[in-house]
Amino acid sequence: MDVLEAIRERKSFRRFKEDPVPWDLVQQVLEAARMAPSWHNKQGWYFLVLTGENKNLLADCTYETNPARNAFMQAPVSLVLCGDPTQSGSYDGKEYYMVDVACAMENLMLAAIEKGLGTCCVAGMLNEELIRKYFNIPENIRVVAVTPLGYPSYQPKPRPRKPLNEVAFLNGWGNGIEHKLTDSGLWISTE
Ligand SMILES: Cc1cc2nc3c(=O)[nH]c(=O)nc-3n(C[C@H](O)[C@H](O)[C@H](O)COP(=O)(O)O)c2cc1C
């Protein structure tokens, strides 16, 4: 699978088989995360791997209204992606640890799909304090996002995306790019 195919195939998977994930694959997706770009190459990220009963604890830390909650109980592995704001930088009100960890998460998700594994980037509706407490995460470390990791038990429908000409401009904000777009360059419909 090439990288563009992986990008197309990645979706948020929220239901999983019980089948175990070979450790070698867990390691490979972590390696992909570790290769992500980061602010000044500070790599102020930490990846916590949860297996067994610990995944249920993570589900405990996920609000009941979060559609991904059950995924943490089903998938054999869950990953907690953390950032250290003091290792990464901030400038002009932008906290780069968030960007660093987001890049790591995307790498991880693409590597996972290439290995036939599903993920779901979950960054909201989490009780960060409780996650810290259960897994002894230091006070100065932020839990940025978590994901289940496992073999999906279904194929989710692709979620729609805004049309490219709504979000991409040419040489200045708001300048239409329509005349540059070709059918062959478009991957997805907006339906
Ligand atoms: C910052 C961020 C936070 C997210 N938080 C959650 C979440 O709390 N629960 C959940 O089920 N999905 C969450 N998602 C997944 C999005 O709902 C999903 O990416 C989006 O609907 C597009 O669907 P797709 O990933 O299948 O393409 C989150 C995604 C991002 C990038």
Side-chain angles (χ1 to χ4, degrees):
M1 185 183 284
D2 69 26
V3 72
L4 295 185
E5 198 180 346
I7 290 169
R8 275 192 295 261
E9 289 302 311
R10 186 219 55 84
K11 295 175 191 77
S12 291
F13 293 91
R14 298 184 178 85
R15 296 198 300 276
F16 293 90
K17 298 177 187 164
E18 284 178 8
D19 302 5
V21 177
W23 179 256
D24 183 52
L25 297 188
V26 176
Q27 186 175 332
Q28 288 191 49
V29 302
L30 293 173
E31 284 286 71
R34 192 163 72 97
M35 286 303 292
S38 64
W39 189 83
H40 276 221
N41 197 26
K42 295 286 186 194
Q43 304 161 61
W45 46 46
Y46 296 92
F47 313 122
L48 181 61
V49 181
L50 302 179
T51 58
E53 282 305 298
N54 291 304
K55 299 174 300 109
N56 295 342
L57 290 180
L58 183 60
D60 263 9
C61 304
T62 310
Y63 297 156
E64 281 183 17
T65 46
N66 196 318
R69 190 167 190 267
N70 285 341
F72 295 114
M73 290 188 268
Q74 291 175 5
V77 178
S78 288
L79 304 171
V80 181
L81 278 69
C82 300
D84 181 349
T86 62
Q87 280 191 60
S88 189
S90 84
Y91 185 78
D92 213 5
K94 290 182 201 162
E95 295 273 6
Y96 291 121
Y97 77 92
M98 294 289 280
V99 184
D100 298 344
V101 175
C103 290
M105 175 62 99
E106 183 69 10
N107 267 18
L108 184 159
M109 293 192 294
L110 294 179
I113 198 71
E114 200 262 337
K115 300 292 172 197
L117 295 165
T119 54
C120 181
C121 172
V122 174
M125 293 185 278
L126 292 170
N127 186 334
E128 184 180 9
E129 269 314 299
L130 200 54
I131 298 177
R132 268 211 198 91
K133 185 172 151 215
Y134 279 159
F135 305 112
N136 300 318
I137 299 172
E139 274 300 310
N140 57 311
I141 300 293
R142 295 300 307 262
V143 174
V144 178
V146 297
T147 178
L149 181 73
Y151 293 100
S153 62
Y154 74 121
Q155 184 57 247
K157 266 178 62 178
R159 302 294 316 280
R161 292 297 190 265
K162 292 178 182 175
L164 192 52
N165 60 12
E166 215 177 89
V167 296
F169 306 132
L170 185 62
N171 296 327
W173 188 267
N175 289 343
I177 201 171
E178 303 79 23
H179 62 289
K180 287 280 188 190
L181 302 178
T182 62
D183 280 348
S184 61
L186 291 174
W187 297 353
I188 50 167
S189 82
T190 51
E191 298 306 307

